[in-house]
Amino acid sequence: MLKLILSRSLQGIVVLLVVSVLTFSLLAAAGGDALTALRNDPLVTEKTIEEQRHIYGLDQPLAVRYARWLGSLARGQMGESFFFRAPVWTILRPRLLSTLSLAVTALLIAWIIALALGSMAARRPRSWIDKLCGVVIMLASSTPRIVLALAALAFAASTSLFSIGAGEKGAAGSLLNILLPALVLAVPLVALFLAQVRDGLGRALREEFVQVARAKGLSERVVTLRHALRAALNPLITIFGYSLGNLVGGSVIVETVLGWPGLGQLSVIAVRSRDVPLLMGVVLVTATAVLIGNLIADILLRFNDPRLREDATRRAITSNNMAATPAA
């Protein structure tokens, strides 16, 4: 397990370096900077703008600016935001916690719905619940998030049960305030998880080891939860890892429409203001979340499936034996 973590960590560092180089280069190629908006202000002279560019190092070549940013990152600093006039990490930390709470809540909602409906459909193929799951999968996978977000906004405005943008007042932990954006984020995941549970659990229930468990007199609930579901969990765990990172980086529409103060909303502010340090911080945190989500999925897969642990142990023993064998 430790070898897996170290290997994924080294790969993650390389991936983050590549992502940072590409992001920095693309931002420079897009043109403009944090001081571009000042050029439209008649009260600000060109000399003042050039002085500010020199102070912030915006007049330096791209390689020099990236090297300075990377050196600052190596010292544990992400620089200072041009828009907020504050350290980037100070701005990112509460937004990251807000987005993580939203992503985890959306994942829990999607898992609960998918496991409940999928297990019933898998035990009763071609029944009304199986047909209902097919309709849910089709609707949930084909409805764009922008439509879902606008529908949620209209619902919140008409019922006054939910407070749009309440997270800005420190209510990120409030279940009522987080429920609406989490539901919008969860809808596409419900389609993905439900399809996997229904098909994977349905196949597992037809396996020979499940028939043996039934022959021993075990109840259908025990057979499903203890034997069949564990065999069907591997694809779900893999999807869970990818989904966690994608939710952190892909919540821009939901957070912007529903006023949830997370990383998605912050990235829009950073792009509009050409705030390179802030946007680099958002990209770095988002890429790290994707890598951590994949690592969590790999670890959970090994805990759930003993065969993966045995394969890893067998490869390690083979590698050690080859290293200990003297060359002919």
Side-chain angles (χ1 to χ4, degrees), residues 201-251:
L201 189 57
R203 287 194 299 269
L205 286 172
R206 295 189 294 271
E207 293 289 342
E208 184 177 351
F209 70 91
V210 174
Q211 305 302 326
V212 172
R214 285 197 180 105
K216 291 180 179 179
L218 298 177
S219 66
E220 191 66 22
R221 181 178 180 182
V222 173
V223 169
T224 301
L225 296 179
R226 186 177 298 178
H227 298 278
L229 184 58
R230 186 173 183 180
L233 271 182
N234 281 2
L236 274 177
I237 293 174
T238 303
I239 296 171
F240 163 80
Y242 287 111
S243 299
L244 180 60
N246 290 335
L247 282 178
V248 172
S251 58

Side-chain angles (χ1 to χ4, degrees), residues 182-213:
L183 280 171
V184 175
L185 274 180
V187 168
L189 295 179
V190 168
L192 190 60
F193 291 168
L194 181 55
Q196 288 292 337
V197 172
R198 186 183 65 169
D199 297 340
L201 189 57
R203 287 194 299 269
L205 286 172
R206 295 189 294 271
E207 293 289 342
E208 184 177 351
F209 70 91
V210 174
Q211 305 302 326
V212 172

Side-chain angles (χ1 to χ4, degrees), residues 82-249:
F82 296 130
F83 184 82
F84 292 98
R85 304 294 182 184
V88 170
W89 178 242
T90 303
I91 302 164
L92 283 177
R93 185 173 58 241
R95 301 276 187 150
L96 175 61
L97 294 176
S98 183
T99 294
L100 281 177
S101 63
L102 182 63
V104 171
T105 305
L107 281 172
L108 288 176
I109 292 172
W111 268 68
I112 292 171
I113 295 175
L115 288 174
L117 292 178
S119 59
M120 289 189 292
R123 293 199 304 266
R124 302 175 183 87
R126 292 182 295 277
S127 65
W128 69 269
I129 189 67
D130 188 26
K131 296 176 182 178
L132 175 63
C133 286
V135 174
V136 171
I137 291 170
M138 183 185 66
L139 292 177
S141 60
S142 60
T143 307
R145 272 210 179 109
I146 182 65
V147 175
L148 295 172
L150 291 174
L153 184 64
F155 175 75
S158 61
T159 60
S160 70
L161 291 175
F162 302 93
S163 181
I164 300 299
E168 295 176 359
K169 302 175 183 178
S174 172
L175 179 61
L176 192 60
N177 293 322
I178 202 174
L179 186 58
L180 196 62
L183 280 171
V184 175
L185 274 180
V187 168
L189 295 179
V190 168
L192 190 60
F193 291 168
L194 181 55
Q196 288 292 337
V197 172
R198 186 183 65 169
D199 297 340
L201 189 57
R203 287 194 299 269
L205 286 172
R206 295 189 294 271
E207 293 289 342
E208 184 177 351
F209 70 91
V210 174
Q211 305 302 326
V212 172
R214 285 197 180 105
K216 291 180 179 179
L218 298 177
S219 66
E220 191 66 22
R221 181 178 180 182
V222 173
V223 169
T224 301
L225 296 179
R226 186 177 298 178
H227 298 278
L229 184 58
R230 186 173 183 180
L233 271 182
N234 281 2
L236 274 177
I237 293 174
T238 303
I239 296 171
F240 163 80
Y242 287 111
S243 299
L244 180 60
N246 290 335
L247 282 178
V248 172

